[in-house]
Amino acid sequence: MQSKTTGTLYVVATPIGNLQDITLRAIDVLKMVDRIAAEDTRHSAPLLKHFAINKPCMSMHEFNERERLMVLLGYLQQGESIALISDAGTPLISDPGFHLVREAKAYGIDVVPIPGPCAAIAALSVAGLPTNKFTFEGFLPAKQEARRNRLIVLLHETRTMIFYEAPHRIMSVLQTMAEVFGYARKVVVARELTKIHETIQTHTLEGLIKHFESHTNELRGEFVIVVDGVDEETSSSKEVIPEHVLDVLLEELPLKQAAALASKITGERKNVLYEMALAKKGGSGD
């Protein structure tokens, strides 16, 4: 039997804040591998130094992932083992690494998960919202129109929804969510998880907007937004689903007329249906 000559790619989760959250296995793997592929070597340096890990490191971020891909595959094919880490948390979860993992598997290289911290799961675990079914949306589009269109698509989502957001966009995102989902929708915002200034706020979208308007000092750090889905029993008991009605009417009527009639039939807000129709038509009105 021919012995395996290729190396192994380890996908290693690292702390999202508190260094004590790293697993013993993650430390062992980082000390054992031949080299480390880090999203930002400068960012990862303090972590590696703290645990006395001294291995060759190379950067692999969203701007050079494809460029570094063949280099890393070459090392793996030569028998080296590589640990893939992101700036914080589990690699590939709104972080680089997908192309490397996909190609490594295509080349027959073993890819091994080293599980650990993940901001999305950490926030969900303490949100107090349903956890049996959820969807991870990551970062919403930066542009307002594209962001609104994505939220409109999620308007009738019954699963709990998890988003990541940057501090300079958090207020705009919460406002757009309120306009699309309604100001009464329940939401949890987790900020700076596991860090000194960790805060977890549970309220309606209206309540959270008001909170951050009066606590602008909290508009800093990394945010996870967990949004309650539409009640499944209520949703399934409806005789008509607004989006389905709109789809049928758009086949026969102009956009504005279809949205107005769908609003009368379903009771859904006319402006929401109009924006949903715009999203379906690619942003072009009548």
Side-chain angles (χ1 to χ4, degrees), residues 155-156 238 240-250 253-277:
L155 179 60
H156 299 288
K238 290 180 179 178
V240 292
I241 297 175
E243 186 175 2
H244 294 174
V245 173
L246 183 62
D247 287 338
V248 173
L249 294 175
L250 282 172
L253 300 171
L255 189 148
K256 289 182 179 179
Q257 190 176 350
L261 186 55
S263 177
K264 290 181 180 179
I265 294 172
T266 66
E268 182 59 88
R269 287 171 292 169
K270 182 179 177 181
N271 65 316
V272 170
L273 288 166
Y274 180 76
E275 290 174 356
M276 186 183 294

Side-chain angles (χ1 to χ4, degrees), residues 70 123 145 149 208 210 216:
M70 296 312 298
E145 183 178 356
N149 288 343
L208 276 172
K210 289 180 178 178
T216 55

Side-chain angles (χ1 to χ4, degrees), residues 196-229:
I196 295 174
H197 300 291
E198 173 185 283
T199 59
I200 300 171
Q201 301 286 338
T202 303
H203 217 302
T204 60
L205 280 163
E206 181 179 22
L208 276 172
I209 290 170
K210 289 180 178 178
H211 171 82
F212 285 118
E213 285 176 343
S214 60
H215 295 78
T216 55
N217 61 306
E218 294 183 11
L219 296 175
R220 302 173 183 174
E222 302 296 326
F223 289 85
V224 183
I225 307 172
V226 188
V227 181
D228 198 10

Side-chain angles (χ1 to χ4, degrees), residues 28-280:
D28 288 343
V29 167
L30 290 172
K31 289 183 175 180
M32 173 271 293
V33 294
D34 295 295
R35 66 183 67 242
I36 297 171
E39 183 178 0
D40 186 334
T41 55
R42 295 166 300 178
H43 186 96
S44 298
L47 171 73
L48 300 177
K49 182 179 180 180
H50 181 82
F51 292 105
I53 298 166
N54 185 21
K55 293 289 179 176
C57 290
M58 63 185 300
S59 66
M60 195 195 73
H61 45 73
E62 61 177 318
F63 301 109
N64 73 354
E65 183 175 359
R66 294 177 185 273
E67 174 188 327
R68 292 288 167 87
L69 181 62
M70 296 312 298
V71 176
L72 291 167
L73 286 174
Y75 287 133
L76 289 163
Q77 289 178 311
Q78 292 168 19
E80 290 194 8
S81 292
I82 297 176
L84 172 66
I85 63 175
S86 62
D87 285 347
T90 303
L92 280 76
I93 309 302
S94 284
D95 280 325
F98 165 69
H99 299 289
L100 176 61
V101 169
R102 180 180 63 180
E103 292 304 309
K105 293 175 76 70
Y107 276 77
I109 295 166
D110 288 340
V111 181
V112 177
I114 309 298
C118 176
I121 300 303
L124 177 65
S125 71
V126 296
L129 297 178
T131 58
N132 58 323
K133 293 181 181 179
F134 61 90
T135 176
F136 176 66
E137 291 291 323
F139 287 93
L140 286 165
K143 293 185 177 180
Q144 175 69 17
E145 183 178 356
R147 183 191 310 159
R148 180 182 294 274
N149 288 343
R150 180 58 195 158
L151 290 173
I152 287 171
V153 171
L154 296 169
L155 179 60
H156 299 288
E157 176 60 68
T158 58
R159 296 169 294 180
T160 300
M161 296 169 278
I162 307 173
F163 304 85
Y164 286 165
E165 199 46 75
H168 63 282
R169 286 200 300 261
I170 185 67
M171 286 299 289
S172 176
V173 166
L174 291 175
Q175 184 63 44
T176 307
M177 283 183 172
E179 292 169 1
V180 175
F181 294 154
Y183 285 84
R185 183 75 69 95
K186 188 176 181 180
V187 64
V188 176
V189 173
R191 182 180 73 95
E192 293 289 84
L193 284 170
T194 79
K195 300 175 185 177
I196 295 174
H197 300 291
E198 173 185 283
T199 59
I200 300 171
Q201 301 286 338
T202 303
H203 217 302
T204 60
L205 280 163
E206 181 179 22
L208 276 172
I209 290 170
K210 289 180 178 178
H211 171 82
F212 285 118
E213 285 176 343
S214 60
H215 295 78
T216 55
N217 61 306
E218 294 183 11
L219 296 175
R220 302 173 183 174
E222 302 296 326
F223 289 85
V224 183
I225 307 172
V226 188
V227 181
D228 198 10
V230 176
D231 183 77
E232 194 164 356
E233 291 184 5
T234 301
S235 178
S236 62
S237 66
K238 290 180 179 178
E239 293 184 3
V240 292
I241 297 175
E243 186 175 2
H244 294 174
V245 173
L246 183 62
D247 287 338
V248 173
L249 294 175
L250 282 172
E251 293 178 3
E252 305 292 337
L253 300 171
L255 189 148
K256 289 182 179 179
Q257 190 176 350
L261 186 55
S263 177
K264 290 181 180 179
I265 294 172
T266 66
E268 182 59 88
R269 287 171 292 169
K270 182 179 177 181
N271 65 316
V272 170
L273 288 166
Y274 180 76
E275 290 174 356
M276 186 183 294
L278 276 177
K280 291 175 179 291

